[in-house]
Amino acid sequence: MKFLGWKVLQKQMFGLKCSMSLSFHGRRFVYICIFLFIIYATIHVHHFHNELLTDRTVQLSQIAKAIKSGSGNAHLWKGRQACRHPHLEVNSPEIMKFIRDQGKIECKGERDWVVLSGSKAVITQEAKQKHGDVECSFTDVMRPNDFTTQPGITTTTHTEYNMEASDFVRVNCQGESGKKWSSIMAGARYDQDIFDRSGWHLLPKDALKLNVLMFGFDSLSRNTFIRKLPLSYDYLIKELDATVLEGYNIVGDGTPQALIPLLTGKTELELPDARRRMGQKATYVNAFPFIWNNYRDNGYVTAFMEDTPQFGIFTYRLKGFNAVPTDHYMRPFFVDISSELDKYSKYCVGSLPRHKIMLDYAKHIYRVYTNQPKFIFGFHGEISHDSYNLVGAADNDLREWLEWFKLNGHLNNTLLIIMSDHGHRFAEVRNTQQGKLEERLPWFSFVVPTWFSKTYPSAVANLKTNSRRLSTPFDIYATLYSVLHPSGYGKGSLTQRGISLFKEIPEERTCADAYIEPHWCACLDWESVDENDPIVQRAAHAFVQFINKYNSEYSDDCVHIELGLVLWSARLVPSGALRRFHSSADRDGFVPNMSADTPVTLVMYQLKLTTNPGNAIFEMSLTHDISLDEFKFRVEDISRINEYGSQAKCIEQSQEQLRKYCYCKDST
């Protein structure tokens, strides 16, 4: 840093003039000048430091250094899965104290006089019966840029209106009764130009020939989705056979750092600088290589849906789009209604919740482009970003939406992805161990058509396997790219930052391999623990008690087993970097503030041990709840790794779930 001269200081320090003439000011004033100079210099250094924190080269360097620092301890997981994520209880008391039922979103007032389906807006019979002949004017909402709208042509009708110039219209109606009704509505316009340049015949010859429909809610961990959207979760799992990524790990702080890699395959720092505060130096985000451009260039109709325009993914901190990014783009609707929200019930427009309007927008696109390939990405934040609980109000609507796509046959040729960017990031949750881990483990699920499983069995088998491996937004991009350009269904390489989920992700993959900094990595750190450690011995005896109880609940034919030897033990805890992470230290979310001290409340152990009689060898994972001093087991986390042969013959037909645990009394 270069210090400034006295003349510059005289201008900077509140207009004071410091002179070295002791005869006039005296020694005391000189001390004051020196003191003010030190303060100014300190502020200048701090400002200089902040500028460093926003320099992209420095940010990239820090990330690379952090990732490299997390590549050790390979000897501890050799021969085992490198990344083991913790089993986090959905109903953990540590989290459930923040959970409550928020109730439904009530949209008060009269039902909308106009309904939209696809590109057609129709005045309802109900409105005509109540108010006599109804006349409505439809004014197209046009987009001059990402931050404003302007009115287009107005059309007046007594029946219906077909959308052609815009997806969004301001509607003003009046009945014979004198009653008036108005709203802003969203549909999918009929655009012949889009029809002419789209079609299945334009896809690459080896493409998988699937629509892609992605819809996400902001700030939902995998567990929060299960807690707050139980009807949708149940339908996804039981009716749609969804594959849920249990090891999906974020790669940065906030929504842009979650979605930019997913949509471009790159981090923000690897792309042209689009930060708004850089002024004329910044580019528009159209310069980013969005995956939807690949789809559009290969014959797809494309759409991007997003709400909360004041906090837009690409407009809050970034410069936004100077041209419409996709064929159908929902931002203008939310920009247009933002000045009129006080006219409606909270979270509503007219008689519809705003989240339902966004869900319906995807339906409209499917109705209009029945026989065209479609790529749709939707992301809703209003009811989930600022509340743990309000998203539960969307559960019925999301389940009905899923049912509509299935019942109308659309899932027969669609890759359906329901997802989130990250878990909740509020301070009270971030102060807990489970909250920090859940932030890093968002909801991500895939549904593939039945025929796809039969035609590409290896791809689906890999997807199922990968649901338990470490995966990232970079892998989602690679998967989306492989829908257009398949590259085989073998094993992915650790040298690849992004691996298509239709390939097998190597078991040995670490956060460093996947380009995840240690403080974002939810993989547990392995620590070797002596087999004779008192905690290990207590855990081993607790396991034997668990198995004896499990056997006794189902059969009287199994002997009481006893602990033999503990052969191997390791402790898995959240990394020190994760526990120390407090928040981001820079405005862009790349440089971490590592001042936190999150207490460890849950520790996972892995043990390998023998039991007698029968010399059974087990490997298992278990958790130690430190606050309760309890060991917790799950049957699905226990493996018998030697043959049991005839030891379990007494129950192998009647209670086959006991075969690896039971030593029959008649075997002694």
Side-chain angles (χ1 to χ4, degrees):
M1 190 193 81
K2 184 178 180 181
F3 284 104
L4 303 180
W6 280 109
K7 289 185 178 179
V8 177
L9 271 174
Q10 289 172 359
K11 295 179 181 179
Q12 298 288 347
M13 294 191 302
F14 315 105
L16 291 176
K17 294 183 178 180
C18 293
S19 169
M20 296 302 292
S21 173
L22 294 181
S23 61
F24 181 78
H25 291 287
R27 184 176 298 170
R28 180 177 295 176
F29 188 71
V30 171
Y31 290 155
I32 292 172
C33 288
I34 293 172
F35 177 68
L36 290 174
F37 177 82
I38 292 171
I39 292 175
Y40 176 80
T42 302
I43 293 170
H44 189 73
V45 169
H46 181 69
H47 175 74
F48 179 74
H49 178 65
N50 283 341
E51 286 302 310
L52 277 180
L53 288 180
T54 61
D55 181 85
R56 293 162 73 83
T57 303
V58 174
Q59 291 168 332
L60 272 169
S61 175
Q62 290 213 22
I63 289 172
K65 183 178 179 181
I67 290 170
K68 187 176 180 181
S69 73
S71 59
N73 296 331
H75 63 286
L76 289 176
W77 50 259
K78 188 174 182 180
R80 303 178 181 87
Q81 184 162 319
C83 176
R84 292 300 301 265
H85 284 111
H87 171 68
L88 302 173
E89 291 188 28
V90 172
N91 297 319
S92 164
E94 194 172 32
I95 299 298
M96 291 305 293
K97 61 187 177 183
F98 302 114
I99 304 301
R100 61 184 180 275
D101 184 5
Q102 200 84 346
K104 296 181 180 180
I105 293 174
E106 299 287 349
C107 298
K108 300 175 183 177
E110 194 172 1
R111 287 164 61 95
D112 287 359
W113 290 19
V114 173
V115 294
L116 262 163
S117 180
S119 61
K120 183 179 290 188
V122 179
I123 302 171
T124 67
Q125 288 301 314
E126 180 182 346
K128 293 177 180 179
Q129 289 170 2
K130 289 179 67 175
H131 304 292
D133 185 40
V134 174
E135 180 181 85
C136 296
S137 65
F138 295 84
T139 303
D140 294 324
V141 175
M142 310 305 292
R143 173 199 176 274
N145 56 58
D146 256 353
F147 301 95
T148 60
T149 60
Q150 63 187 32
I153 295 173
T154 298
T155 302
T156 301
T157 179
H158 292 256
T159 53
E160 62 187 42
Y161 174 71
N162 290 305
M163 308 173 82
E164 294 183 0
S166 174
D167 286 350
F168 317 113
V169 289
R170 284 179 169 262
V171 187
N172 289 281
C173 301
Q174 181 169 337
E176 282 184 304
S177 63
K179 179 77 172 178
K180 295 181 179 180
W181 176 87
S182 64
S183 189
I184 305 168
M185 309 191 79
R189 72 191 184 282
Y190 180 91
D191 191 318
Q192 189 61 48
D193 290 339
I194 298 174
F195 273 89
D196 291 344
R197 63 130 189 90
S198 60
W200 294 103
H201 63 286
L202 298 172
L203 272 61
K205 290 183 179 180
D206 60 344
L208 299 181
K209 294 181 172 54
L210 291 169
N211 296 310
V212 176
L213 174 58
M214 300 180 69
F215 192 89
F217 287 98
D218 200 322
S219 303
L220 290 188
S221 69
R222 180 163 58 89
N223 277 358
T224 300
F225 190 100
I226 298 170
R227 292 179 193 113
K228 300 305 299 183
L229 299 167
L231 298 176
S232 302
Y233 174 74
D234 187 72
Y235 193 79
L236 280 165
I237 300 302
K238 295 180 180 178
E239 299 297 328
L240 301 183
D241 191 28
T243 299
V244 181
L245 301 185
E246 297 178 11
Y248 184 77
N249 203 118
I250 64 174
V251 296
D253 193 13
T255 302
Q257 311 321 327
L259 299 186
I260 289 175
L262 184 154
L263 293 170
T264 71
K266 298 180 181 297
T267 68
E268 182 188 328
L269 292 175
E270 295 168 329
L271 296 168
D273 193 347
R275 292 174 295 177
R276 292 174 67 179
R277 69 174 182 273
M278 300 306 291
Q280 294 300 316
K281 295 180 181 179
T283 184
Y284 289 96
V285 293
N286 297 75
F288 293 2
F290 289 105
I291 189 66
W292 55 58
N293 294 335
N294 300 74
Y295 278 83
R296 182 188 59 212
D297 294 344
N298 284 279
Y300 276 73
V301 179
T302 59
F304 173 36
M305 310 182 292
E306 180 194 17
D307 66 337
T308 58
Q310 68 275 34
F311 304 115
I313 303 165
F314 304 109
T315 53
Y316 177 62
R317 190 174 49 79
L318 304 179
K319 201 170 179 178
F321 296 95
N322 63 336
V324 176
T326 50
D327 297 319
H328 295 270
Y329 181 43
M330 202 173 190
R331 179 176 172 85
F333 171 79
F334 287 101
V335 170
D336 201 60
I337 66 171
S338 60
S339 63
E340 302 195 3
L341 294 182
D342 57 349
K343 295 182 179 179
Y344 309 111
S345 302
K346 195 172 185 180
Y347 304 116
C348 300
V349 173
S351 61
L352 294 175
R354 291 197 281 272
H355 68 265
K356 190 174 188 306
I357 294 172
M358 180 180 280
L359 289 167
D360 287 345
Y361 190 60
K363 288 185 185 180
H364 297 319
I365 293 169
Y366 265 77
R367 288 185 179 110
V368 172
Y369 301 99
T370 307
N371 298 313
Q372 278 72 31
K374 295 164 282 291
F375 178 95
I376 301 174
F377 178 75
F379 194 74
H380 187 87
E382 183 176 35
I383 62 171
S384 57
H385 183 274
D386 294 334
S387 169
Y388 307 112
N389 299 294
L390 186 58
V391 70
D395 194 18
N396 275 309
D397 293 326
L398 180 59
R399 175 166 179 143
E400 289 175 2
W401 186 80
L402 294 169
E403 290 174 341
W404 184 88
F405 277 94
K406 179 178 172 60
L407 294 174
N408 284 277
H410 296 305
L411 298 186
N412 293 336
N413 62 350
T414 294
L415 174 64
L416 173 66
I417 302 172
I418 305 297
M419 45 77 67
S420 184
D421 51 350
H422 50 72
H424 275 296
R425 305 165 63 235
F426 298 109
E428 58 265 39
V429 169
R430 265 193 173 177
N431 289 336
T432 68
Q433 176 183 321
Q434 178 151 338
K436 272 196 172 183
L437 287 164
E438 287 199 14
E439 178 197 2
R440 288 151 174 79
L441 299 170
W443 173 267
F444 224 101
S445 64
F446 285 77
V447 176
V448 299
T450 303
W451 66 262
F452 187 85
S453 301
K454 297 176 181 177
T455 306
Y456 303 101
S458 296
V460 175
N462 289 335
L463 179 63
K464 299 288 186 184
T465 297
N466 292 337
S467 70
R468 298 178 296 278
R469 302 275 169 88
L470 174 62
S471 56
T472 74
F474 297 112
D475 302 323
I476 306 304
Y477 176 84
T479 306
L480 296 175
Y481 188 84
S482 72
V483 172
L484 286 175
H485 305 288
S487 55
Y489 308 108
K491 196 165 190 174
S493 170
L494 289 178
T495 62
Q496 296 174 294
R497 181 170 67 178
I499 300 172
S500 169
L501 295 177
F502 296 140
K503 289 185 174 183
E504 183 186 350
I505 293 174
E507 210 173 12
E508 302 82 9
R509 191 187 214 189
T510 65
C511 281
D513 296 322
Y515 204 75
I516 304 171
E517 297 168 81
H519 56 279
W520 294 121
C521 180
C523 302
L524 301 174
D525 274 358
W526 291 74
E527 299 176 354
S528 290
V529 185
D530 189 281
E531 292 83 359
N532 296 312
D533 184 287
I535 291 290
V536 171
Q537 289 294 314
R538 285 181 57 206
H541 282 94
F543 167 73
V544 171
Q545 292 176 3
F546 174 79
I547 292 303
N548 282 325
K549 182 179 180 182
Y550 186 70
N551 284 338
S552 66
E553 286 181 357
Y554 296 99
S555 176
D556 295 325
D557 297 321
C558 305
V559 302
H560 188 86
I561 66 170
E562 295 181 350
L563 177 65
L565 296 173
V566 178
L567 304 174
W568 176 88
S569 59
R571 178 167 49 225
L572 296 95
V573 296
S575 72
L578 182 147
R579 300 197 302 270
R580 291 192 301 273
F581 179 80
H582 179 272
S583 59
S584 290
D586 65 327
R587 286 187 283 178
D588 300 313
F590 295 113
V591 180
N593 172 354
M594 305 296 281
S595 63
D597 184 21
T598 306
V600 175
T601 54
L602 285 174
V603 178
M604 179 183 284
Y605 286 85
Q606 289 203 327
L607 305 182
K608 181 178 180 179
L609 54 79
T610 64
T611 62
N612 293 313
N615 194 35
I617 305 175
F618 291 100
E619 282 188 354
M620 84 290 301
S621 298
L622 59 112
T623 56
H624 181 210
D625 187 323
I626 294 174
S627 60
L628 300 175
D629 195 22
E630 290 181 355
F631 296 101
K632 298 180 180 180
F633 300 86
R634 297 192 311 159
V635 170
E636 54 266 43
D637 292 333
I638 302 170
S639 299
R640 170 85 179 256
I641 62 174
N642 65 336
E643 293 184 0
Y644 48 82
S646 61
Q647 295 176 0
K649 62 182 180 182
C650 63
I651 51 85
E652 61 184 359
Q653 299 299 323
S654 59
Q655 298 288 347
E656 63 175 299
Q657 79 275 13
L658 300 182
R659 286 184 296 182
K660 61 183 178 181
Y661 311 116
C662 180
Y663 189 92
C664 293
K665 292 178 179 179
D666 59 10
S667 298
T668 57

